[in-house]
Amino acid sequence: MDEIIDRLKKVRKGAMFIIEAPSGTGKGTICKELLRRDPNIKFSVSVTTRKPREGEVEGVDYFFVSDQQYDEFLAQDAFYEHVDSQYGSRYGTLRSEVDSFINVGQDVLFDMDWAGARQMRQKAPDDVVTIYLLPPSIKELRKRLINRGTDSMEVIEQRMSIILDKISHWDEFDYVIVNVNLEETITKIQKIISGERMRRVRQVGLKGFVKELVNEVKNSN
């Protein structure tokens, strides 16, 4: 029985799990914990045209490319999604990078906004699973942004000013979780991941397995 389960796992197709949330909702911490707890989930490394910052590692934080290389990727339709930032840099998710994981049964985790999620769903509707995290209240969200101590009040106010736009896209997502308790939210997402792994479209080995069962029935008669 264990051999059958292991065989089906090996031929499973991976999924693309996209998590979106307003800044301060806990998305970064949750993504890190999911990656730490589940070795079958890989984090998507994006391409960017900006220069590496101190401490950033090629292939770990980003794939750093020139504008010419980026334009070549665009011409080849090599991205699942891409975006131009307001600061002049450009970012994109390479199909080849993601497909190298999902085609061998590994899942890929994305920390991505609603616009990127929309592009991803258009190009890979059967493979994309989207999860939106909501804060328990706007008051609590502001408190979390202040308490984490990484941004000035000016930056915090800028983040708060775009919350309405971000939250307005919540109903485009497959799953929505109100992040009241971090551990409970992580558990809920793990259950979503487990359930999505069992979907028929991802269990590509089932067709052959069912064929074997049918032949077994026919040969037993």
Side-chain angles (χ1 to χ4, degrees):
M1 187 65 69
D2 288 341
E3 291 180 3
I4 294 172
I5 294 173
D6 288 340
R7 191 183 79 186
L8 290 175
K9 281 182 178 178
K10 289 177 182 177
V11 291
R12 184 183 73 84
K13 188 176 184 182
M16 307 177 193
F17 292 98
I18 299 174
I19 299 182
E20 159 71 317
S23 181
T25 307
K27 178 175 61 174
T29 301
I30 288 168
C31 286
K32 288 178 182 178
E33 279 301 302
L34 291 171
L35 293 166
R36 185 181 70 82
R37 300 182 191 192
D38 192 334
N40 200 53
I41 300 179
K42 307 301 178 182
F43 190 73
S44 172
V45 180
S46 299
V47 163
T48 183
T49 58
R50 73 164 174 76
K51 300 298 182 183
R53 294 169 183 157
E54 185 176 352
E56 288 184 330
V57 178
E58 168 73 19
V60 175
D61 298 289
Y62 289 98
F63 294 111
F64 297 98
V65 300
S66 66
D67 281 303
Q68 181 180 349
Q69 288 174 303
Y70 191 94
D71 288 337
E72 290 173 358
F73 284 137
L74 280 177
Q76 297 163 6
D77 193 26
F79 292 126
Y80 268 123
E81 62 83 35
H82 59 89
V83 65
D84 295 348
S85 81
Q86 58 182 321
Y87 304 108
S89 301
R90 296 185 288 175
Y91 297 82
T93 300
L94 285 173
R95 291 175 183 262
S96 58
E97 174 71 9
V98 176
D99 290 350
S100 69
F101 292 123
I102 67 170
N103 288 338
V104 295
Q106 291 184 313
D107 302 308
V108 184
L109 183 66
F110 299 81
D111 176 350
M112 186 179 292
D113 69 9
W114 62 267
R118 185 181 287 178
Q119 290 184 56
M120 294 282 288
R121 186 184 292 283
Q122 290 172 345
K123 292 190 176 180
D126 290 336
D127 299 324
V128 171
V129 180
T130 56
I131 303 168
Y132 199 96
L133 304 179
L134 288 169
S137 70
I138 300 303
K139 181 179 179 180
E140 176 62 23
L141 185 64
R142 182 187 292 274
K143 180 181 176 182
R144 290 178 184 179
L145 285 172
I146 294 172
N147 288 346
R148 72 183 186 181
T150 58
D151 298 317
S152 66
M153 286 305 300
E154 181 181 1
V155 171
I156 289 173
E157 292 306 321
Q158 289 175 349
R159 295 187 186 280
M160 294 297 296
S161 68
I162 63 173
I163 284 176
L164 182 60
D165 177 63
K166 289 182 74 71
I167 290 179
S168 68
H169 295 277
W170 70 274
D171 57 355
E172 297 180 26
F173 287 71
D174 299 314
Y175 300 92
V176 179
I177 300 172
V178 179
N179 183 25
V180 177
N181 178 278
L182 184 66
E183 190 60 38
E184 289 180 1
T185 297
I186 292 171
T187 298
K188 288 176 181 177
I189 295 176
Q190 288 177 316
K191 289 180 179 179
I192 291 170
I193 291 171
S194 295
E196 287 290 337
R197 284 172 173 167
M198 298 304 296
R199 289 190 62 190
R200 178 176 52 80
V201 294
R202 300 194 221 294
Q203 297 193 74
V204 293
L206 280 179
K207 187 174 182 179
F209 178 68
V210 172
K211 185 177 180 180
E212 291 177 12
L213 291 179
V214 170
N215 289 336
E216 188 177 346
V217 171
K218 289 180 178 179
N219 293 333
S220 66
N221 293 332

